[in-house]
């Protein structure tokens, strides 16, 4: 299996985040990607390729031009306002307030284009996010050109980013961008299977009213876990997309037997939909020792996860999402990929 990775993704270097009411050290840090890359090489998973630049057009198939303009121009506006540190939003256009007209103040823009306060923006954020999207697109092209599988070593992650907002450490929705590119380049049906501990709210929202992209997510129950406001079992799509979204919210403490039952149901839905490509939002934060998550999967369970996906026999693009137990992240990630190859 070929891996795609760009060191430009390391340019996003957050120092702090807001969590549990405190300013704490950031957990979505560059070393996450470096650790995974080292394990890919150590276990000789396959060639490591650099991504090509795809430009802005594929991004606009998923994200709004105004949002992309905000990301591209944010740092200049931030520093022009006399700021030098990482940026956090502090006000949002919630119920009863207006999102339009778009604010002129950079602080207003931060609130307009975000949905949480825990995701810092810095000098290298936009550049790293574009490189991450190019990584997913290059891996998607490998699948389009006939590869049975590919791994997009994306960082920062993407599945919480919506069409016009960032959050959850995510800025551009790499999995959605790749899925849309595959649709635009010949795949009639694409499925996105999100196995991150946290619900992929951005991906669901992007494809919610469409029947050509199936979205399946196995995650912690949003009644008690981030992102709280999406990912409930009754959310099944809208309009033409009714029936093409399926969520499995699981209780805190879920271990492999319970997780595997949800995975079997998701695989059954994949069999019914019969996609030409499966895009896996590969979060590794279901791990029992993940510092911000509360599931109980072990390292061997990630091998089992990969084996089950391999038995589907479908072209599969893996896109890295979350996972913050850095000492085990590389091992757990490559366990999935090796399990898939042997599945």
């Amino acid at each position: 299996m070929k891996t795609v990775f760009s060191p430009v993704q390391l340019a996003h270097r957050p120092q702090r985040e807001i969590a549990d009411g405190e300013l704490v050290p950031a957990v979505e840090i560059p070393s996450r990607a470096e650790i995974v890359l080292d394990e890919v090489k150590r276990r000789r998973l396959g060639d490591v390729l650099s991504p090509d630049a795809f430009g802005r057009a594929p991004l606009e198939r998923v994200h709004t031009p105004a949002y992309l303009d905000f990301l591209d121009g944010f740092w200049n506006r931030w520093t022009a306002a006399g700021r030098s540190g990482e940026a956090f939003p502090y006000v949002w256009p919630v119920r009863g307030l207006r999102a339009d007209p778009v604010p002129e103040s950079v602080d207003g823009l931060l609130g307009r284009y975000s949905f949480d306060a825990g995701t810092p923006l810095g000098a290298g954020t936009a550049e790293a996010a574009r490189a991450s999207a190019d990584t997913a697109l290059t891996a998607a092209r490998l699948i389009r050109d006939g590869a049975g599988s590919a791994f997009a070593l994306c960082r920062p992650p993407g599945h919480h980013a919506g069409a016009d907002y960032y959050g959850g450490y995510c800025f551009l929705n790499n999995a959605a961008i790749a899925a849309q590119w595959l649709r635009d380049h010949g795949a009639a049906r694409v499925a996105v299977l999100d196995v991150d501990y946290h619900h992929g709210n951005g991906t669901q929202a992007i494809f919610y009213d469409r029947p050509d992209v199936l979205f399946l997510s196995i995650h912690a129950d949003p009644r008690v876990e981030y992102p709280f406001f999406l990912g409930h079992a009754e959310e099944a799509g809208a309009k033409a997309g009714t029936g093409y979204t399926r969520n499995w919210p699981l209780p805190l403490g879920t271990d492999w037997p319970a997780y595997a039952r949800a995975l079997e149901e998701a695989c059954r839905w994949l069999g019914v939909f019969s996609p030409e490509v499966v895009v896996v939002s590969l979060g590794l934060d279901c791990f029992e020792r993940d510092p911000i998550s509360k599931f109980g999967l072990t390292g061997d369970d990630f091998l089992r996860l990969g084996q089950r996906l391999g038995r589907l026999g479908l072209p599969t693009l893996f896109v890295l999402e979350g996972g913050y137990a850095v000492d085990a992240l590389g091992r757990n990630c490559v366990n999935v990929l090796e399990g898939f190859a042997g599945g």
Side-chain angles (χ1 to χ4, degrees):
M1 182 185 303
K2 292 180 179 178
T3 294
V4 184
F5 172 73
S6 168
V8 177
Q9 296 177 90
L10 308 180
H12 175 59
R13 309 186 69 86
Q15 301 299 305
R16 302 168 298 171
E17 64 179 75
I18 297 172
D20 300 326
E22 298 184 73
L23 199 58
V24 299
V27 299
E28 202 298 286
I29 50 179
S31 61
R32 295 180 61 249
E34 295 172 309
I35 287 167
V36 173
L37 181 64
D38 287 346
E39 189 71 3
V40 164
K41 292 178 178 178
R42 188 185 72 82
R43 288 162 65 172
R44 299 181 180 179
L45 185 69
D47 294 338
V48 177
L49 310 177
S50 297
D52 292 325
F54 281 69
R56 182 159 152 157
L59 310 184
E60 289 189 353
R61 296 287 290 141
V62 167
H63 296 285
T64 66
Y67 174 64
L68 295 173
D69 288 344
F70 161 75
L71 284 182
D72 288 340
F74 163 76
W75 190 249
N76 286 339
R77 299 187 72 144
W78 185 246
T79 54
R83 321 290 177 76
S84 58
E86 296 176 317
F88 294 89
Y90 66 88
V91 61
W92 293 268
V94 297
R95 294 173 297 278
L97 302 182
R98 294 180 61 187
D100 294 308
V102 176
E104 296 181 4
S105 163
V106 68
D107 293 297
L109 291 171
L110 282 167
R112 170 65 180 81
Y113 291 115
S114 67
F115 80 96
D116 70 21
T119 303
L121 282 81
T125 300
E127 180 184 24
R130 287 195 301 272
S132 192
D134 282 336
T135 293
L137 288 164
T138 301
R141 189 175 60 197
L142 291 174
I143 300 292
R144 192 278 310 267
D145 291 346
S149 61
F151 174 41
L153 206 177
C154 291
R155 187 267 159 192
H159 71 149
H160 292 305
D164 64 349
Y165 58 81
Y166 72 91
Y169 313 143
C170 302
F171 304 96
L172 296 175
N173 195 312
N174 304 310
I177 290 166
Q180 183 61 54
W181 188 91
L182 288 162
R183 281 286 296 111
D184 291 340
H185 290 79
R189 295 177 309 283
V190 176
V192 179
L193 172 62
D194 194 319
V195 297
D196 193 281
Y197 171 81
H198 304 94
H199 178 253
N201 58 287
T203 314
Q204 174 174 305
I206 287 165
F207 295 121
Y208 200 61
D209 61 356
R210 290 173 51 176
D212 57 329
V213 179
L214 176 70
F215 177 72
L216 309 172
S217 182
I218 307 169
H219 53 271
D221 191 334
R223 292 177 299 175
V224 294
E225 185 56 278
Y226 184 95
F228 299 111
F229 304 110
L230 216 59
H232 300 278
E234 66 270 20
E235 296 160 12
K239 300 178 182 177
T242 300
Y244 293 90
T245 290
R246 182 74 166 89
N247 288 300
W248 288 269
L250 302 178
L252 303 185
T254 290
D255 58 7
W256 176 251
Y259 192 95
R261 288 192 291 271
L263 180 62
E264 279 301 319
E265 291 187 35
C267 289
R268 181 176 62 81
W269 278 72
L270 288 170
V272 171
F273 184 65
S274 189
E276 295 174 35
V277 183
V278 178
V279 177
V280 178
S281 272
L282 182 59
L284 288 310
D285 42 3
C286 294
F287 184 52
E288 59 185 349
R289 297 200 307 272
D290 193 277
I292 66 171
S293 305
K294 300 179 181 68
F295 276 3
L297 270 62
T298 68
D300 288 343
D301 293 334
F302 288 107
L303 184 68
R304 297 182 183 101
L305 170 61
Q307 290 169 339
R308 182 61 187 93
L309 297 179
R311 291 199 298 273
L312 292 169
L314 295 168
T316 302
L317 168 61
F318 292 92
V319 178
L320 184 64
E321 300 286 2
Y324 308 100
V326 291
D327 60 328
L329 181 60
R331 181 174 68 253
N332 291 340
C333 182
V334 179
N335 278 358
V336 175
L337 303 177
E338 285 190 342
F340 177 87

